[in-house]
């Protein structure tokens, strides 16, 4: 309880100024000393100053001990913590964007931690809306809250944080707190409707196949293995149920999972395979159940969470495009963009919502579906059973460019990453790709116009004028920089190198560090050594804008010693050229 005041709140530290300030002000109001914060000659100034010094942590006493009255103390703390520095705001915004509910942390504690970050952002001068804070809280919730997250995010209006927390508390009462990360890891990649699957079994107590109740190393090894046949975790290729079904010439599917828009399953499942795409008005995104269908697939971190009709939860791990064609035609083909591969899915789903947002329109009748794009009929199709189904196009189309019609030569130049116009024309002349609906002549005509992006990206910076300023004595200016992490660590396990260079004498000091976080301590040790050995005081330092040099700890150290901190402009290391050359 050393960091708690006698009034019941935490003492002022490096991370709680936003909440400490109103509480401290309230204490002074209750004592009748508030006027001392604005008047230097106030009769209660010494009493207010004493209360404030009792409510700050020890390392801040050196900052305020030389203040003459309560107003100066209050102003010094405000100047130290309530500055709208870019580094402070960016750090807090990163903390909010990466907010995550910790194991064993209750909903109330989690929401309070998010609100504290929001208060610190407001104290730093950054505007934080309640809706942004609520969305950040929702994004950091674990998988067991996915269903209530879907309900909240699907509402017409986002509820207040208080109302949202009330809903989350109901889920918390039904869900035991996770004990730690080991339990969470064991369930990654499995069907979350019941329990983890191991091979083609669903029996946690079966120790022969590494069941959930098995405590042996063989069971844990199975949980972390990835099947080479289907790409899912939790079983080996020899136990893969999907591979065995394909070897038998048929597939077994859960009939409940595909009929998302009807009460009864309407698909003739014996005619369905992995290239079929069910057109689903109930899906909010395109979902691929097989990774080999995607073209130009890229991994996705923290992909979207999908809730299926039977309550099963999945997550997209790859995103790419898929080429489709009419079941009854080998000519008409369309491209499905922004398709997510979801390992938990059993069927490929084409979302009419996503397609219409790209400009497509669907006209459904009892025995016909017409799909139009920008007023042009793409295809008409007949239902299969009681569903409309498209197929993936299996031809070699990875070098085929397929986009909506009407694309200009300039847009093709941009799509190819601002490729030179002559090389772009070669793609068409030499038949390197198909599907570009402009001619080589159109490309050559477009080259006569100026591409603003190309002009800006190819500009060269003018040379820097040599500096005319010069120091006149040792320790007048110290250049500092941090280099690393190095690919090879030292014998002592060090990965970073902090450099200190005296501008006047050229004396350099090198400190090897294990972590970036050790930079502040290294600065204090080197500065003490330089000042003691030379008998002089350091007057100014020059660094880049790295967070290891621009933070509350280092800034407070500079302020206490009266050292002026100089920082270079963004993307301009030339302003600290001596430190860069030393590296």
């Amino acid at each position: 309880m050393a960091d708690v005041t006698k009034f019941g709140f935490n003492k002022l530290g490096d991370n709680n100024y936003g909440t400490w300030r109103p509480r401290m002000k309230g204490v002074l109001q209750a004592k009748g000393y508030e006027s001392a914060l604005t008047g230097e000659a106030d009769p209660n100034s010494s009493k207010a100053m004493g209360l404030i010094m009792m409510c700050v942590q020890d390392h801040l006493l050196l900052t305020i001990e030389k203040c003459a009255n309560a107003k100066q103390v209050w102003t010094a703390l405000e100047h130290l913590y309530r500055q709208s520095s870019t580094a402070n705001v960016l750090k807090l915004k990163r903390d909010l964007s990466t907010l995550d509910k910790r194991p064993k942390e209750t909903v109330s504690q989690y929401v309070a931690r998010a609100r504290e970050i929001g208060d610190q952002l407001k104290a730093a001068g950054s505007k934080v809306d309640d809706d942004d804070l609520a969305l950040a809280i929702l994004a950091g919730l674990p998988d067991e809250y996915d269903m209530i997250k879907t309900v909240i995010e699907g509402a017409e209006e986002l509820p207040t944080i208080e109302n949202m927390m009330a809903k989350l508390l109901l889920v918390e009462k039904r869900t035991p707190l996770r004990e730690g990360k080991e339990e969470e890891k064991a369930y990654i990649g499995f069907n979350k409707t019941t329990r983890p699957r191991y091979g083609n079994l669903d029996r946690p107590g079966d120790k022969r196949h590494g069941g959930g109740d098995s405590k042996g190393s063989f069971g844990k090894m199975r949980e972390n293995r990835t099947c080479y046949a289907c790409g899912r975790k939790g079983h080996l290729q020899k136990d893969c149920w999907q591979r065995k079904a394909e070897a038998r010439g048929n597939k077994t599917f859960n009939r409940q999972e595909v009929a998302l828009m009807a009460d009864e399953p309407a698909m003739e499942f014996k005619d369905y395979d992995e290239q079929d795409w069910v057109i689903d008005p109930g899906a909010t995104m395109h979902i691929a159940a097989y990774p080999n269908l995607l073209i130009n697939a890229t991994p996705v971190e923290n992909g979207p969470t999908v809730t299926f009709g039977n309550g099963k939860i999945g997550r997209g791990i790859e995103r790419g495009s898929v080429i489709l064609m009419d079941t009854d035609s080998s000519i008409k083909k369309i491209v499905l963009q922004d398709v997510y591969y979801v390992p938990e899915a059993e069927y490929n789903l084409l979302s009419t919502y996503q397609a219409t947002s790209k400009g497509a329109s669907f006209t459904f009748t009892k025995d016909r579906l017409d799909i139009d794009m920008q007023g042009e009929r793409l295809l008409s199709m007949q239902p299969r059973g009681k569903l409309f189904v498209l197929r993936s196009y299996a031809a070699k189309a990875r070098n085929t460019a397929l986009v909506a019609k009407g694309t200009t030569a300039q847009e093709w130049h941009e799509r190819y990453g601002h490729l030179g116009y002559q090389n772009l024309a070669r793609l068409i002349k030499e038949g390197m790709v198909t599907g570009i609906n402009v001619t080589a002549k159109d490309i050559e005509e477009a080259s006569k116009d100026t591409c603003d992006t190309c002009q800006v990206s190819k500009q060269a910076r003018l040379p820097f004028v040599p500096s005319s300023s010069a120091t006149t004595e040792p320790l007048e200016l110290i250049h500092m920089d941090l280099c690393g992490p190095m690919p090879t660590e030292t014998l002592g396990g060090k990965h970073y190198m902090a450099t200190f260079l005296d501008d006047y004498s050229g004396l350099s000091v090198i400190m090897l560090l294990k972590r970036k976080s050790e930079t502040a301590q290294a600065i204090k040790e080197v500065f003490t050594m330089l000042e003691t050995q030379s008998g002089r005081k350091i007057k100014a330092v020059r660094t880049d804008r790295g967070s290891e040099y621009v933070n509350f700890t280092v800034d407070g150290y500079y302020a206490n010693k009266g050292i002026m901190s100089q920082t270079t402009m963004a993307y301009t290391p030339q302003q600290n050229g001596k430190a860069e050359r030393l590296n």
Side-chain angles (χ1 to χ4, degrees):
M1 298 296 289
D3 289 335
V4 178
T5 69
K6 69 175 185 177
F7 304 108
F9 58 87
N10 291 333
K11 293 183 178 181
L12 176 62
D14 292 336
N15 301 314
N16 65 333
Y17 179 77
T19 55
W20 177 88
R21 183 177 184 276
R23 286 171 176 161
M24 189 69 242
K25 197 171 183 179
V27 170
L28 295 175
Q29 287 176 339
K31 297 288 186 180
Y33 304 154
E34 184 186 11
S35 59
L37 301 180
T38 56
E40 295 186 354
D42 191 278
N44 295 317
S45 179
S46 59
K47 296 179 181 179
M49 182 176 175
L51 282 177
I52 295 173
M53 296 186 73
M54 290 170 55
C55 296
V56 301
Q57 293 183 6
D58 294 345
H59 69 279
L60 295 174
L61 295 176
L62 296 176
T63 303
I64 61 177
E65 66 175 350
K66 295 182 180 179
C67 296
N69 50 61
K71 180 182 178 181
Q72 291 183 9
V73 171
W74 193 258
T75 303
L77 293 175
E78 187 171 35
H79 176 73
L80 180 61
Y81 286 111
R82 209 172 179 182
Q83 53 184 341
S84 301
S85 64
T86 304
N88 182 33
V89 172
L90 288 178
K91 176 186 178 300
L92 291 172
K93 286 186 176 180
R94 280 197 301 269
D95 292 343
L96 189 61
S97 63
T98 57
L99 187 68
D100 217 359
K101 185 176 180 294
R102 301 164 182 165
K104 293 188 177 182
E105 186 178 38
T106 65
V107 167
S108 301
Q109 294 170 340
Y110 170 60
V111 173
R113 185 159 55 88
R115 279 179 158 168
E116 184 173 357
I117 297 175
D119 291 341
Q120 292 180 32
L121 274 170
K122 292 176 182 177
S126 180
K127 182 179 180 182
V128 181
D129 295 332
D130 289 341
D131 287 351
D132 294 336
L133 190 59
L135 291 173
I137 293 172
L138 286 177
L141 292 170
D143 291 346
E144 53 262 31
Y145 293 86
D146 282 346
M147 187 62 70
I148 191 65
K149 283 166 59 178
T150 303
V151 173
I152 294 174
E153 292 172 351
E156 293 184 0
E157 293 185 3
L158 197 65
T160 63
I161 295 179
E162 289 75 13
N163 293 337
M164 184 176 69
M165 188 167 68
K167 294 180 174 64
L168 298 177
L169 287 172
L170 294 177
V171 179
E172 183 181 61
K173 291 179 180 179
R174 299 193 301 265
T175 308
L177 293 177
R178 290 180 293 173
E179 292 299 323
K181 293 185 178 179
E182 292 302 320
E183 181 182 351
E184 183 180 4
K185 288 181 180 178
Y187 283 82
I188 294 177
F190 295 111
N191 182 347
K192 298 181 179 62
T193 53
T194 52
R195 50 189 180 266
R197 283 187 174 185
Y198 303 92
N200 55 352
L201 299 176
D202 196 10
R203 298 176 298 190
D206 195 333
K207 295 180 173 54
R208 297 172 301 161
H209 295 276
D213 294 336
S214 174
K215 303 298 181 181
S217 59
F218 183 75
K220 294 182 179 178
M221 178 183 69
R222 281 292 183 91
E223 295 175 7
N224 295 324
R225 289 286 184 91
T226 300
C227 173
Y228 293 114
C230 68
R232 294 180 171 90
K233 287 187 176 182
H235 62 274
L236 303 179
Q237 181 177 354
K238 66 184 182 68
D239 297 325
C240 181
W241 63 271
Q242 180 176 316
R243 175 173 170 268
K244 292 180 179 180
E246 290 175 351
R248 292 194 302 268
N250 60 5
K251 296 179 183 289
T252 56
F253 295 99
N254 185 340
R255 297 171 60 91
Q256 184 182 4
E257 295 173 1
V258 70
L260 301 179
M261 55 290 213
D263 294 333
E264 297 179 356
M267 172 69 72
E268 294 291 338
F269 293 96
K270 63 181 181 180
D271 296 331
Y272 184 90
D273 64 30
E274 67 182 51
Q275 287 186 264
D276 285 335
W277 286 73
V278 178
I279 296 179
D280 184 5
T284 57
M285 56 184 281
H286 304 311
I287 298 174
Y290 304 92
N292 58 302
L293 299 179
L294 298 184
I295 296 175
N296 300 326
T298 57
V300 178
E301 294 184 3
N302 299 322
T305 300
V306 182
T307 302
F308 294 96
N310 64 346
K312 187 170 69 171
I313 305 296
R315 184 180 292 277
I317 62 174
E318 289 185 356
R319 182 174 62 187
S321 301
V322 174
I323 302 177
L324 304 176
M325 68 179 184
D326 186 357
T327 308
D328 301 324
S329 172
S330 60
I331 300 176
K332 295 179 180 179
K333 305 177 186 67
I334 58 177
V335 174
L336 211 59
Q337 297 177 336
D338 295 329
V339 182
Y340 286 90
Y341 164 53
V342 181
E344 294 81 4
E346 299 290 351
Y347 299 94
N348 307 314
L349 301 178
L350 188 155
S351 168
T352 58
Y353 169 78
Q354 286 293 336
T356 52
S357 67
K358 301 291 185 182
S361 62
F362 294 78
T363 304
F364 290 92
T365 60
K366 181 179 180 182
D367 55 359
R368 180 187 179 94
L369 169 61
D370 296 330
I371 304 178
D372 299 324
M373 185 73 174
Q374 298 177 353
E376 180 182 354
R377 179 62 48 84
L378 290 181
L379 57 88
S380 297
M381 55 186 303
Q382 304 294 325
R384 190 196 307 178
K386 295 182 181 180
L387 294 176
F388 292 98
V389 181
L390 285 172
R391 288 185 59 82
S392 303
Y393 182 54
K396 296 180 180 179
R398 293 188 180 272
N399 295 325
T400 301
L402 288 156
V403 294
K405 291 186 177 181
T407 305
T408 64
Q410 178 61 25
E411 288 175 339
W412 279 112
H413 167 67
E414 296 172 358
R415 286 180 185 273
Y416 274 88
H418 293 269
L419 179 66
Y421 291 96
Q422 291 182 350
N423 290 328
L424 190 59
R426 283 185 58 200
L427 296 179
I428 303 173
K429 290 179 180 178
E430 300 181 15
M432 296 182 184
V433 298
T434 60
I436 296 182
N437 55 347
V438 295
T439 64
K441 185 177 180 181
D442 294 333
I443 300 292
E444 293 169 357
E445 288 294 326
S447 66
K448 298 177 182 179
D449 297 329
T450 301
C451 176
D452 294 338
T453 303
C454 290
Q455 293 292 323
V456 172
S457 61
K458 294 175 182 178
Q459 285 180 346
R461 177 177 283 182
L462 293 175
F464 282 78
V465 179
S467 174
S468 59
S469 62
T471 53
T472 58
E473 60 181 17
L475 303 190
E476 185 177 343
L477 175 63
I478 300 294
H479 301 271
M480 298 191 299
D481 198 12
L482 185 69
C483 187
M486 301 298 184
T488 304
E489 67 179 21
T490 67
L491 295 177
K494 308 296 179 64
H495 291 272
Y496 292 90
M497 175 179 66
T499 61
F500 304 82
L501 175 65
D502 178 41
D503 186 82
Y504 179 78
S505 64
L507 172 70
S508 61
V509 179
I510 310 298
M511 290 285 286
L512 299 179
L513 311 176
K514 285 186 177 182
R515 293 173 292 275
K516 270 188 176 183
S517 58
E518 299 175 358
T519 305
Q521 183 61 30
I523 291 174
K524 296 177 182 179
E525 292 177 3
V526 173
F527 281 17
T528 301
M529 185 267 291
L530 291 175
E531 291 179 345
T532 301
Q533 297 300 323
S534 66
R536 298 173 179 270
K537 294 292 186 180
I538 296 174
K539 295 182 178 180
V541 295
R542 183 175 297 170
T543 64
D544 57 19
R545 293 179 175 269
S547 59
E548 64 273 10
Y549 292 112
V550 182
N551 54 67
F552 287 137
T553 302
V554 177
D555 289 346
Y557 176 71
Y558 292 159
N560 183 45
K561 294 182 66 66
I563 298 174
M564 180 183 298
S565 175
Q566 302 174 2
T567 56
T568 63
M569 296 294 293
Y571 307 107
T572 315
Q574 294 86 348
Q575 293 180 335
N576 199 19
K578 288 190 176 182
E580 299 295 338
R581 285 191 292 273
L582 179 58
N583 284 345

